[in-house]
Amino acid sequence: MLDITELSRLSGFSASKLRYYEEIGLIKSIGRRGLKRLYEDEVKIRISVISLAQTASFSLNEIKKMIGTEGRPEFDAATLNEKADSIDAKINELASLSKGLRHIANCTAEHHLDCPRFQRIMRAALIKRSKTRRTRPDNTVSY
Amino acid sequence: MLDITELSRLSGFSASKLRYYEEIGLIKSIGRRGLKRLYEDEVKIRISVISLAQTASFSLNEIKKMIGTEGRPEFDAATLNEKADSIDAKINELASLSKGLRHIANCTAEHHLDCPRFQRIMRAALIKRSKTRRTRPDNTVSY
DNA sequence: ATACAAGTTCAAGCCAACTTGAGGTCAAGA
DNA sequence: TCTTGACCTCAAGTTGGCTTGAACTTGTAT
């Protein structure tokens, strides 16, 4: 059993954020001591997942659909695999961006946006993107 | 020379978004035909970079610092390498999350948050995170 | 019994990143 | 020349994800 302060310290999430997550049904407290919320240990793994999923740019709504408050999945295997695919695509883009940044860190060109090697790296990332996605979401570039 | 509609079509960014980016100095138009903005081809590579950097969760402000309007870097090599490092750390987390999602897609356990294998994967991701980061940012979990 | 620290609620506020809407302007074709 | 439609500006609105503040309630320590 944890109170909100302990959970906050352990998770690095502010107490207000934890209350907010509870309010929107992402986590739940198992009871109260007086007014004070009490949390089960299980909530820690939920918070880990939430944290990771946010890193992967899932909205709180999507996360809720994935892990639900009751621990029931709302996504079928196909949907989960699709999410995993889109994460993998993102990983590839990030790898390119990282490579690009490391390049311009060492590149002697005045204007790194003009550096042909940098441009090649960026283009490569976008080519992958257009290959791996079916439809064109808002943020997509494909020349 | 592109007008905003062409650029919008090519980039997948709405015209209003392009105008907004120009307003905050992320891109620039090279002139006007009457009222209508005209863009150089160079702007396409800028948009590519913006798009990728957003995928990596950089704010528009950070992106602006990185690529500036005038094509001048505002970041030094060390900072750029640090950014690249943090992207690489994120890549590791995403890989874990993807693995976790693929696992629960095929996992027969009722409540996947209770699945020991899933928990192990999530914990591994968090361990990596706490190892790769110096300070504890808001979103960080480390049990 | 009383005080206090640590929690609580609820409404309002805040920031980033856009979008929307109302009303204006211009270049090109009929 | 006149219309049309694509673009323009500028202010205001929207959404997601929290934080903040004011006023309230408790279990524990004195």
Side-chain angles (χ1 to χ4, degrees):
Chain A
M1 286 298 183
L2 305 150
D3 72 10
I4 205 169
T5 307
E6 290 170 285
L7 187 57
S8 174
R9 189 179 48 73
L10 287 171
S11 64
F13 280 24
S14 68
S16 68
K17 193 189 251 183
L18 291 171
R19 276 185 219 108
Y20 174 64
Y21 282 4
E22 188 165 339
E23 187 189 332
I24 64 175
L26 263 182
I27 60 174
K28 58 177 177 179
S29 49
I30 201 63
R32 300 279 175 125
R33 166 162 25 247
L35 276 187
K36 306 184 179 181
R37 288 167 174 79
L38 289 177
Y39 295 98
E40 285 182 315
D41 252 43
E42 184 251 351
V43 80
K44 294 195 291 183
I45 189 78
R46 294 185 75 87
I47 289 178
S48 303
V49 175
I50 293 167
S51 182
L52 286 174
Q54 281 190 309
T55 299
S57 307
F58 289 101
S59 70
L60 295 183
N61 247 317
E62 287 176 301
I63 296 172
K64 193 177 171 185
K65 282 183 193 158
M66 279 196 286
I67 67 175
T69 302
E70 303 307 320
R72 286 191 233 96
E74 284 191 27
F75 282 170
D76 56 358
T79 309
L80 289 171
N81 280 317
E82 265 175 39
K83 291 277 174 193
D85 288 347
S86 81
I87 291 170
D88 290 346
K90 187 173 212 165
I91 286 173
N92 284 321
E93 292 181 11
L94 293 184
S96 294
L97 184 61
S98 169
K99 198 171 160 190
L101 289 179
R102 287 190 203 287
H103 172 71
I104 62 180
N106 300 318
C107 183
T108 53
E110 295 272 310
H111 306 274
H112 34 259
L113 290 182
D114 296 345
C115 167
R117 183 160 148 64
F118 177 71
Q119 290 188 7
R120 208 159 43 69
I121 294 169
M122 292 302 108
R123 250 186 269 283
L126 293 169
I127 286 162
K128 276 181 196 161
R129 184 190 292 204
S130 63
K131 273 184 187 161
T132 45
R133 299 216 180 133
R134 297 146 203 277
T135 59
R136 181 86 50 87
D138 266 12
N139 250 13
T140 303
V141 176
S142 136
Y143 297 120
Chain B
M1 286 298 182
L2 305 151
D3 73 10
I4 205 169
T5 307
E6 291 171 285
L7 187 57
S8 173
R9 189 180 47 74
L10 287 172
S11 65
F13 280 23
S14 67
S16 68
K17 194 188 250 182
L18 291 171
R19 277 185 221 108
Y20 175 65
Y21 282 3
E22 188 165 341
E23 187 190 331
I24 63 176
L26 264 182
I27 62 174
K28 57 178 178 179
S29 50
I30 200 64
R32 301 278 175 126
R33 165 161 29 245
L35 276 186
K36 305 183 181 184
R37 287 165 174 81
L38 289 178
Y39 295 99
E40 284 181 315
D41 252 43
E42 184 250 351
V43 79
K44 294 194 292 182
I45 189 78
R46 293 186 75 86
I47 290 178
S48 303
V49 176
I50 293 167
S51 183
L52 288 174
Q54 281 190 310
T55 300
S57 307
F58 288 103
S59 71
L60 295 183
N61 247 317
E62 287 177 301
I63 297 172
K64 194 178 171 186
K65 282 183 193 157
M66 278 195 287
I67 68 175
T69 302
E70 303 307 319
R72 286 191 234 96
E74 286 191 25
F75 283 170
D76 56 13
T79 309
L80 289 171
N81 279 318
E82 266 175 40
K83 292 276 174 194
D85 288 346
S86 82
I87 291 171
D88 290 346
K90 187 172 215 167
I91 286 173
N92 284 322
E93 293 181 10
L94 293 183
S96 293
L97 183 60
S98 169
K99 199 170 160 190
L101 289 179
R102 287 191 203 288
H103 172 70
I104 63 180
N106 300 319
C107 183
T108 52
E110 296 272 308
H111 305 273
H112 32 260
L113 290 183
D114 295 344
C115 168
R117 183 160 148 65
F118 177 72
Q119 291 188 6
R120 210 159 43 68
I121 294 169
M122 291 302 109
R123 250 186 269 281
L126 293 168
I127 286 162
K128 276 180 198 163
R129 182 188 295 205
S130 62
K131 272 185 191 161
T132 45
R133 298 216 181 134
R134 297 148 203 275
T135 59
R136 181 86 50 85
D138 266 13
N139 250 11
T140 303
V141 177
S142 138
Y143 296 119

